[in-house]
Every structure is written in C-alpha cells, then in structure tokens.
Amino acid sequence: MERNQQLRRQLAAMRQSLFDQGYLDEQFIQLEELQDDANPNFVEEVVTLYYRDSARLLSSIEQALEKSNTLDFNKLDTYMHQFKGSSSSIGAKKLKAECTQIREYCKAGNGDGCVKTFQQLKRDYATLKKKLESYFQVARQAGPKEIASRSK
Amino acid sequence: MTIPEQFPTGLRVLVVNDDTSCLRILETILRRCLYNVTTCSQAAVALNLLRKKKGCFDVVLSDVHMPDVDGYILLEHIGLEMDLLVIMMSADERVSAVMKGIFHGACDYLIKPIREEELRNIWQHVIRKKWNENKEVEYSSSFEVNVDNNVQSYSTMAFRVAAQVPTAGQVPTLVPSLADIPASYDANSGEMLNQGPLGNLGFIVDELAFEVSL
C-alpha cells in the first residue's frame, strides 16, 4: 500500500511537470479522459502510435532539410502541417509550436530558421518521448487506477 | 424516413485518416458516442469500400491532407457517385482552407484537435439532410383557411406530416414539432379540443392518433 502511494505521488509529479514545462497541453487531458475500462491503456497506445508514425515523417523532413541549397519550402511546409496535426492530437504543445514556427520560416523562405528550429524540435521530440516512456512505466507499476484519477 | 428509437446511437461512420494515432483517437471518441465506426487509413481503400457497400454508411469523416489521395478528391468522388455526407478534418484553420472544403461539398469542417463534443454532434447533419429530403414530398408550403371571417393559417409542419400518411398499417415517421400543431390539440390526450377547418386528415404523432376535421 505504502509503495503504491509513493508511486502514485511520483506519477502525479511527473505528470504535473510535463504540463508545467510546457511539453503537454489540454489535449493530453482529453486523451486521459478517453481512457476507461474498455480502453485501459489508451493514452500509452496513442502515444506509441504517434511516435511510430512520426518517426518516418521526421526522417523525411530531415532528408528535405539536408538539401539546404535547394530547399523545397512547399514540401517542407506540407510535412510540417502533417507533423503539427499529429503532434496536436496527443497534446504535444512544444512540438506543435515549433511546427508553426518552421511553417512561418517556410513562408518567409528562411532556410536557416527552418534548420535551427528543426534541431530544437528534434531535441524536444526525443525528450518528450523519454519522459512519457518513464511516465507510462511508473503508471503500469502504480496500477490502472492512477491514470483514471486526475485533477482538472 | 424512419428515425430509429435510439437514434443517434448506431450512426454508421466511416473515418478516413492516414495518421494512425489520430485515427485511434477518433475511433475511440466515436465509439463512446455509441456510433458504429469503421476506420480506414487510406483514401483509395475508403472509396472502394464506399462503392462496394453503398447505403451502408451515414456519414464520412475524412482528413484533408492524405498522402495517397487528397481529401478533396475523395470528397468530390463521394459527391458525384453517392449521396453521402462528408465532414472534413484538418489542422489548417485558415478561412480559405475551410471555404475550400465547403465549396467542394463538405457539410462541415472540423479543426484539429477535434473535441468529443464536435463528434457527438455530427448526427445533426445526418438528420437535417434526411429532413430536407423529405420536405420535397409536401403538397404546399402553407395555406390559409377562412372560417367565418376568421383566417387561420397553418404551418407546413402539420401538413407535411399529413403528406406522409401511408396506407393502413404503416406508421408515418416524421414527428412534427408540437409547437406547430394548432393550439387546440391536446398533446397529452391526443384529442382535438376544438375542430379546425382543415378537412379530414389523419396523422400520428408518436403513438397518439388524432384527426382534424371540418
């Protein structure tokens, strides 16, 4: 019991810091609300799908950015639009903002801006992934009830 | 048109989105609304399915940007080939993008991230469409009757229902708004409290049957 309480407290703290540090927004809460007995691991499933799909997209973006002299801004913009859409679905606040920024740079034809912001985006993407993986690990240890009990 | 008792439960929705995490979220929300959900991650496959199973879906929910077939092209095909409502989804909230969707025939355009309330409400589009289709059956839009210099006008609603009266045994399925029925009708007893000048028309409101007679 005691250990469980500790885990739950740890879980709540991890969750709160993800919001406080601006990694997640309200959309993540929407996902948590969709989790129930019929879908006990919903949030983790969706996040896993997101990271699986977006990995491909990210490498396409990286390839597009490598041709720094002949950057296809339209193509890049399309990729970023897609990435923004899926990132916003899981509530990845920072990533969403970075996508918007890159799209602005695309409109302005600013290749450097695109590259720099994308480097940041990649870092935040990886950080979020690690944090969420740890979060889900603790959640599994704490037991199913934890994800269901959230403060609004 | 029959409105099933538990409507909109069981509304048949086809969701088309290449983003699998989005698809999973939409599917879950729609199932929560007790809709009957089919998912498809490729537009071409979706179109094939719609062609093979005509009449098996009430509404299509499609993403705008998909790698294999553009959402607008799917929308156009559906508009040309079948009488089906399409709701577009996109992260692009620009007015121009939304307009494009509407001009291409989308009955609604949802901006991502899509909230449960928005999906819960999609049945309204379906019912509105069916309602508009049935309106074409009405005899006239409105009429006035002069009884002892007392002109009364009746709304189209009551008359539209009358137009739906089929032969014995069948239940007409449009339920008129009680606000439109002449005030002399008692909704509880189903009785006409005073006779109206409409002539003998029988129609059923839910389980209540009554007549308006001259």
Side-chain angles (χ1 to χ4, degrees):
Chain A
M1 242 336 144
E2 184 53 50
R3 164 146 169 85
N4 223 8
Q5 272 187 349
Q6 270 183 343
L7 282 173
R8 284 166 199 267
R9 247 178 268 142
Q10 187 187 356
L11 197 66
M14 288 170 93
R15 183 181 174 277
Q16 195 53 50
S17 97
L18 282 166
F19 283 98
D20 292 342
Q21 291 175 359
Y23 281 103
L24 296 177
D25 62 24
E26 314 75 56
Q27 181 58 23
F28 190 79
I29 299 176
Q30 295 286 321
L31 294 189
E32 288 176 319
E33 293 188 341
L34 287 172
Q35 186 156 301
D36 55 20
D37 291 332
N39 295 289
N41 302 304
F42 181 70
V43 186
E44 188 175 359
E45 274 172 32
V46 173
V47 170
T48 306
L49 284 170
Y50 165 75
Y51 273 103
R52 195 190 64 187
D53 282 354
S54 55
R56 260 173 267 146
L57 188 55
L58 279 189
S59 60
S60 303
I61 297 173
E62 221 157 2
Q63 276 175 18
L65 284 173
E66 262 157 28
K67 311 172 184 148
S68 50
N69 289 330
T70 54
L71 208 52
D72 186 346
F73 287 112
N74 277 331
K75 199 177 195 178
L76 187 60
D77 185 62
T78 307
Y79 286 143
M80 294 321 301
H81 173 88
Q82 236 181 301
F83 191 61
K84 180 182 173 188
S86 44
S87 301
S88 69
S89 297
I90 68 154
K93 191 175 180 181
K94 263 195 202 184
L95 302 182
K96 186 176 162 185
E98 279 149 0
C99 288
T100 305
Q101 183 68 78
I102 296 176
R103 294 193 76 194
E104 295 292 311
Y105 283 135
C106 283
K107 247 194 285 191
N110 183 344
D112 262 348
C114 288
V115 173
K116 282 210 184 75
T117 313
F118 183 68
Q119 295 309 318
Q120 184 61 50
L121 186 151
K122 268 205 318 188
R123 282 193 289 268
D124 289 332
Y125 175 85
T127 305
L128 180 61
K129 187 171 187 204
K130 269 210 209 81
K131 285 185 187 259
L132 285 173
E133 275 169 0
S134 314
Y135 175 73
F136 290 129
Q137 209 170 25
V138 177
R140 265 179 266 131
Q141 288 169 3
K145 277 215 170 85
E146 185 46 43
I147 300 218
S149 65
R150 57 213 160 257
S151 49
K152 294 220 174 169
Chain B
M1 170 195 92
T2 321
I3 308 173
E5 238 171 59
Q6 297 112 341
F7 190 88
T9 297
L11 190 74
R12 300 161 305 173
V13 187
L14 175 65
V15 191
V16 190
N17 195 321
D18 62 306
D19 182 333
T20 53
S21 56
C22 266
L23 202 54
R24 182 85 176 88
I25 294 171
L26 292 168
E27 181 188 20
T28 305
I29 296 176
L30 291 165
R31 291 241 156 92
R32 257 213 186 175
C33 299
L34 303 181
Y35 291 158
N36 190 317
V37 190
T38 307
T39 58
C40 215
S41 61
Q42 289 176 299
V45 176
L47 194 53
N48 238 359
L49 180 64
L50 288 170
R51 283 170 179 156
K52 281 212 190 103
K53 305 231 163 180
K54 286 207 172 169
C56 286
F57 293 101
D58 296 307
V59 60
V60 178
L61 219 56
S62 171
D63 204 38
V64 167
H65 296 277
M66 290 183 287
D68 64 332
V69 174
D70 185 66
Y72 293 118
I73 296 184
L74 178 65
L75 178 55
E76 275 179 30
H77 275 286
I78 295 177
L80 286 169
E81 298 177 35
M82 44 201 104
D83 188 27
L84 198 50
L85 285 176
V86 184
I87 296 175
M88 303 298 287
M89 303 179 286
S90 176
D92 192 346
E93 59 211 330
R94 294 172 296 178
V95 175
S96 54
V98 178
M99 283 226 199
K100 187 176 178 188
I102 305 297
F103 286 147
H104 276 76
C107 78
D108 203 354
Y109 188 106
L110 306 177
I111 313 286
K112 292 193 224 177
I114 299 171
R115 297 182 326 270
E116 183 165 344
E117 309 88 75
E118 293 177 287
L119 290 180
R120 204 168 271 281
N121 286 333
I122 64 177
W123 66 269
Q124 295 176 9
H125 296 290
V126 178
I127 207 73
R128 189 180 304 124
K129 179 169 185 272
K130 291 195 195 257
W131 184 267
N132 285 332
E133 279 166 7
N134 279 316
K135 261 205 234 177
E136 281 144 32
V137 189
E138 69 188 42
Y139 294 161
S140 70
S141 59
S142 69
F143 59 99
E144 286 182 359
V145 180
N146 199 325
V147 178
D148 298 333
N149 296 318
N150 190 2
V151 179
Q152 298 187 45
S153 59
Y154 290 78
S155 74
T156 50
M157 194 72 74
F159 204 53
R160 191 184 305 139
V161 176
Q164 297 279 324
V165 175
T167 48
Q170 259 184 293
V171 178
T173 52
L174 267 178
V175 178
S177 145
L178 291 179
D180 289 313
I181 291 174
S184 53
Y185 163 63
D186 181 342
N188 291 323
S189 65
E191 282 184 318
M192 288 304 291
L193 301 177
N194 45 267
Q195 307 254 301
L198 270 181
N200 275 325
L201 297 171
F203 57 105
I204 298 172
V205 177
D206 288 331
E207 298 301 302
L208 307 169
F210 64 95
E211 284 183 337
V212 177
S213 48
L214 268 168

